[in-house]
Every structure is written in C-alpha cells, then in structure tokens.
Amino acid sequence: MEYLPEMRLYHPATVEEAIKLHAAAPSGRYLAGGSDLLVNIRRGIETPDNLVYLNGIAEMHAITDAPGQISIGAAVNLRDLAESNLLREHFSAVTQAAGDVAGPSHREYGTLGGNLCLDTRCVFYNQSEWWRAANNYCLKYRGDICHVAPGGKKCFAAFSGDVAPALLLFDAEVELAGPDGRRRIALAALYRNDGMDHLTLGKGEILVAVHVPKNPIPITTGYAKSRVRGSIDFPLAGVAVRMGLQDEKIADLRIGLTGVSPLPFLVRGLDKFIGRKPDDSCLEEMRDVVRGQAKAMKTTLTPPHYRRRVAGALAQKLAETIF
Amino acid sequence: MKTTLSLTVNGINRDDVVPDNMLLVDYLREKAGLTGTKIGCDGGECGACTVLINDRPRHACLTLAATCQNAKVETVDGLSRDGRLTAIQRGFHEKLGAQCGFCTPGMIMASEALLRRNPDPSEADIRAALAANICRCTGYVKIIEAVQFAARELSA
C-alpha cells in the first residue's frame, strides 16, 4: 500500500478558473471521479504535483435536452448516465455502455469525461512500480522497449473506455475548453492511434461536454463487452452496434469497437451490407469484417486471438438481438 | 498543502485539517479512528473500503478526503446504535454472511445503499448492487441470503 505523493488540490468553481489554475501548475492534472487517475498515481505511473478538481463546476454536471441534440456535461457520473431515461430513449447503446463500466460503486463517481479520456491500458503498464521496475519498464513510461511488440517503436496499449464506441455511433461531438478558448470537434477526432499519446487534447484543455445529435428517425442500438470478471472489469473487447432495417433489409449499419486498439473507432467497409437481408450468412460475413479490424495485441493476459474472435462474435450477437 | 475539511461522519460534525493527498480511507481510519472500513487492494478492485457518501456507495480508497467537503459520510462503525445491530448487520450474523470478515464492512455498506434505494430487491438486484465487492470465502450465497433476510426484516 503506497501513500499518495505530496500534491496540492484546487477546487475551481468554473471552467475558466480551472484552466487558469492548471496553467499556473507546472505538472498539473485535472481530476474528476479519480477512479483511474488516483490508481495510476498510487502506482507511480502518473506523478502530478497539482490536481485541479472538476466536480465542483456546475456547468459540467448538466444534461440538456435541446431540439436537435442532447448535451451531456463531462462530470455527469456513469450511474446517472446509465439511468437517464432521456438518453436511453435516444441513445440506448450509450446508457448500456455506461452501465457496463466497472462495478456499481465505481459508476457512482466515475464520470463521462473520465471514461472518454481514460488512459490507454496494457498488462505491462498498469502495474505497481516494483513490477514495472523489475521488467525494465516499457515504452509508454520510463522504458525504451515495448514488451507487446519488442523491436517496435509504437505503443499498443489499448483504449478501454466503454462509452466512446457507443457515442461514435451517433456522430457525437466534444466541447473542449483550453487557454485559447473553446472549440468543438468530432469525438472521433479526439483520438489518435498511439497508445503513448492517444488524445488530441491540447495542453491544459478540458473536455467540458459531449453534444449528441438526435436522430430524426428512431434507430436501434446496443453495446456488449467481453471481460474477465463479468461483474467488474475493463473490456477485452467492447462492441457498439447501430442497425436500422427497411423492408426487412439493412438500411443503416454502424459498429464501434473499443479495447482492441489504442483508440475507439468505427468499423470500415460496412456499406456492402446495406440493402441485404440480415440473415445468417450476412451476419457471419459482418462478424468476419469486425474480426478482421479488431487487431488486438498482447496487452491483456487474455490472448489476442480470443479478443479478435470475441469482438466479431459480440457484433454478430448484438445484430441478432437488438431487434 | 492542507485543506480544512468540514463534514459529518456517522452523523457527527467534524472539522479537520487534512493534507490534500490524504485518501478518505486513511482519514477515516487514522484521523477519525474508525477502523471498520478496510483497505484491501490498491485499485478499486475489491470493494472492502466501500462507504456511503451522501447515501451512495463509494470507494474510500479512491476518494481524496479533501473532496468530501460538506459531505455526509457513513461507515460500518456508525450503523448500530446503543449496541443494537441494524437489519443488514443482523442478516450477516444470522445467515453467516461473514466468514473471515474482511470484505464484510464493504459488503454491508453496499447492501445498505441498495436497501435504502430499493427496500425489496430481487436476487438479481442484490447481485448487481454487490458486483463491485469481492468475497474470497463465502461464495456469495450466504451474503445474498443475508441481504434478503434484512429486506424481509425491514418490511416486517
């Protein structure tokens, strides 16, 4: 058991104040729920000397229902997200994914913003200091070798947030606030394919809110994940599916993946299924497309080939059951 | 750096000066002397440190004490009054819900949170509410019976 290092904690009341406090702190981090950041600090992976606590900012706790879109504050906790009837009505995959994050006590304080900005994870990285030291550290932190792909210069630590792939189904946008003001970008543009530096957030930028456009026609969506402990765990693979039928033929199809690469992403090349009947052969073909793009690496104790196969199988099962 | 923390712990108002890096579980055990809350793992994986903050179950080992300003914190130490056990404590006693007992404070607080929200939970509700709490002894069957016992006691 390690005590936390010396740190200073700030309690801003507004986003602007938080950004100023962060700018004044040499190695500061924003803290919301803390279910992941505090673990990483205790394990010595993160070493901030200042923490700027975001949960006191009222603006970041609101869920707002506007005519064309719903806005969700980044500090909304995952339980409230999972239990929101408004969100379930429009974006059921999002509420399912939020309800599948970790266990019930984590969801009481883990936040939407924290889940979207979750650090990438790897079995060689999320370990105690002595474990990592005994293993000569790794590319992601303090070391110069990647134990997942020795010889490579790329980090494969996997993004393991559950909510992001579900939000990708709906063209969600994120509102960021930083020292240079506010900007709005597509959620997909928040991520890059680099386990060491997977977020495109600028220095001092905060994810303030997520804006999700409502779909003009109702669409059916769902989320499912595979994990080691069924009750509480990060995804070995997480799959969000959005599917719409017209005259019993597929008219709309999107699949989001998480846990299998350094970023969450939408599966490419699904256009060929539009206009087809979702029969067994069609869904098996779709499963194989998902499996081909779920390029899981050796970042968990569970072997990569299982995670690739289970990603495809979950997509197939979801497509079969969400109707 | 330090923060002056005002909160209630088990119904008693407290004002303490706490270091910014102090975890709630260390505050409860070391400053408030309430050692009922246990420290099991170092990463929110076991649930032994579960306490109620404003009636909701939270991990005291992943909560900074200084973020609990004006909060209502409840631990297992504060449940019984004048030596009388509460329904959920009697349930764990009657149904042998505790074996080694290390996970029990967290189990009891997570169950307490469930029963406050849902006085008549189904077995599935109980399993879902205790999903973040690990027990290595009981196999969970006795714990679920303990919560069911408490629910029956409360409705009687």
Side-chain angles (χ1 to χ4, degrees), chain A residues 62-311:
Chain A
I63 297 181
T64 327
D65 184 11
Q69 69 171 23
I70 295 176
S71 300
I72 315 165
V76 169
N77 73 41
L78 294 164
R79 184 193 115 172
D80 290 344
L81 201 59
E83 293 185 354
S84 161
N85 290 329
L86 172 70
L87 294 175
R88 185 173 308 115
E89 184 190 332
H90 292 279
F91 317 117
S92 59
V94 174
T95 53
Q96 280 176 33
D100 268 359
V101 178
S105 324
H106 304 88
R107 295 193 291 272
E108 294 285 353
Y109 58 108
T111 62
L112 169 63
N115 198 259
L116 294 178
C117 297
L118 185 68
D119 193 9
T120 52
R121 298 181 61 84
C122 177
V123 68
F124 296 100
Y125 173 69
N126 297 94
Q127 299 286 357
S128 63
E129 171 63 24
W130 64 262
W131 195 104
R132 285 177 288 113
N135 206 30
N136 273 336
Y137 297 103
C138 77
L139 206 56
K140 187 163 161 71
Y141 187 62
R142 290 184 70 174
D144 47 19
I145 181 169
C146 172
H147 303 289
V148 170
K153 279 288 161 215
K154 185 173 181 286
C155 169
F156 291 97
F159 178 80
S160 304
D162 290 295
V163 186
L167 281 170
L168 285 176
L169 299 179
F170 302 101
D171 297 318
E173 292 189 329
V174 285
E175 182 175 337
L176 311 174
D180 301 326
R182 297 205 179 204
R183 63 188 177 121
R184 229 169 119 154
I185 60 170
L187 174 64
L190 180 67
Y191 301 103
R192 64 166 78 94
N193 193 5
D194 177 357
M196 274 195 282
D197 186 17
H198 72 299
L199 292 177
T200 58
L201 283 176
K203 192 171 164 49
E205 265 188 324
I206 308 175
L207 199 164
V208 177
V210 180
H211 304 288
V212 202
K214 287 182 196 166
N215 238 59
I217 44 163
I219 42 172
T220 319
T221 62
Y223 178 81
K225 74 196 266 195
S226 165
R227 43 186 164 178
V228 175
R229 284 168 64 191
S231 55
I232 139 184
D233 227 331
F234 289 98
L236 294 170
V239 184
V241 174
R242 154 180 169 164
M243 201 165 157
L245 293 190
Q246 214 164 25
D247 304 328
E248 295 183 4
K249 288 181 178 153
I250 299 175
D252 180 283
L253 180 64
R254 288 185 187 190
I255 300 175
L257 293 182
T258 186
V260 290
S261 78
L263 81 173
F265 62 93
L266 287 176
V267 171
R268 295 166 299 275
L270 294 177
D271 290 348
K272 62 179 175 182
F273 297 104
I274 303 294
R276 286 180 58 178
K277 272 195 167 173
D279 53 18
D280 285 353
S281 72
C282 169
L283 294 183
E284 279 167 20
E285 218 178 292
M286 189 191 83
R287 174 198 68 197
D288 293 341
V289 170
V290 173
R291 190 188 287 174
Q293 291 180 37
K295 295 190 188 304
M297 300 288 284
K298 209 175 61 185
T299 55
T300 63
L301 289 175
T302 307
H305 69 84
Y306 175 82
R307 289 159 63 204
R308 290 174 203 177
R309 292 181 69 91
V310 84

Side-chain angles (χ1 to χ4, degrees), chain A residues 3-4 9 42-43 106 109, chain B residues 20-21 30 42 44 59 61:
Chain A
Y3 278 94
L4 292 174
L9 181 70
R42 293 178 79 171
R43 294 189 173 167
H106 304 88
Y109 58 108
Chain B
D20 281 352
N21 64 345
E30 292 169 19
D42 66 351
H59 297 119
C61 78

Side-chain angles (χ1 to χ4, degrees), chain B residues 36-52:
Chain B
T37 305
K38 301 293 182 245
I39 304 172
C41 67
D42 66 351
E45 293 158 31
C46 76
C49 67
T50 306
V51 298
L52 303 190

